[in-house]
Amino acid sequence: EKVLKNNLLRNLDAAVEEGLLDKKDGRYHFSHDRIQEAAYNMMEILDRCHFHFFYGMTLAPADGETDDSLLLVAANQLNLAGPEAVQDKSQNAVVANLNLRAGKKAMEMSDFVAAYFYFDNGISFLRKKHWEEHYALSLELF
């Protein structure tokens, strides 16, 4: 793990020297939006989906957790991934529920367009027979 971290930091520092990344307060970021866009577009579409899904699940607050400061960010990442990125079918309901929570939060902020977006994406993550398996969730999303 230490070797991996050292290799990663060495590569990131090389990108800083090349002007592709900037480093401030120990954090790296792209030096220009176009560089970030080019790096993103070089990724295979399926890889992008899996990375978005992984990031979304990592950032997602646990059910019942009161701090939902990253809820919208997590839901956006999961929605960028799309239902096709789900590998464990039990995660479909989890992601649909996160979209429900994000939609409710958007409604609290009076952002009804965003709320519709989250509810609609939540519906897209539901599996066949969702009315039998997740009736309450389905009802709230619809």
Side-chain angles (χ1 to χ4, degrees), residues 63-132:
D63 220 8
E65 188 175 320
T66 56
D67 179 19
D68 61 355
S69 58
L70 294 175
L71 174 64
L72 300 180
V73 175
N76 287 334
Q77 287 294 314
L78 292 164
N79 294 336
L80 283 170
E84 302 80 22
V86 176
Q87 293 178 351
D88 179 1
K89 299 305 180 191
S90 67
Q91 292 175 321
N92 284 78
V94 172
V95 176
N97 189 49
L98 282 168
N99 271 291
L100 176 63
R101 291 171 57 195
K104 287 179 176 180
K105 183 171 182 171
M107 287 185 69
E108 288 172 6
M109 299 183 305
S110 298
D111 190 348
F112 302 109
V113 173
Y116 172 80
F117 170 79
Y118 292 119
F119 295 143
D120 193 47
N121 276 287
I123 291 167
S124 73
F125 277 92
L126 292 174
R127 297 176 45 86
K128 291 180 181 177
K129 298 185 179 181
H130 60 87
W131 285 106
E132 291 103 26

Side-chain angles (χ1 to χ4, degrees), residues 30 33-53 55 76-77 79-81:
F30 287 97
D33 291 342
R34 293 288 187 175
I35 296 171
Q36 180 181 4
E37 185 179 319
Y40 183 79
N41 288 331
M42 289 177 62
M43 293 176 66
E44 294 290 330
I45 292 174
L46 191 58
D47 290 338
R48 275 190 236 164
C49 291
H50 289 297
F51 280 116
H52 283 300
F53 191 81
Y55 298 148
N76 287 334
Q77 287 294 314
N79 294 336
L80 283 170

Side-chain angles (χ1 to χ4, degrees), residues 8-24 26-31 35:
L8 178 62
L9 289 175
R10 190 171 335 129
N11 289 331
L12 289 172
D13 289 334
V16 169
E17 290 174 21
E18 293 289 326
L20 300 172
L21 296 177
D22 291 328
K23 183 177 180 181
K24 184 176 181 183
R27 297 183 67 171
Y28 296 89
H29 58 90
F30 287 97
S31 57
I35 296 171

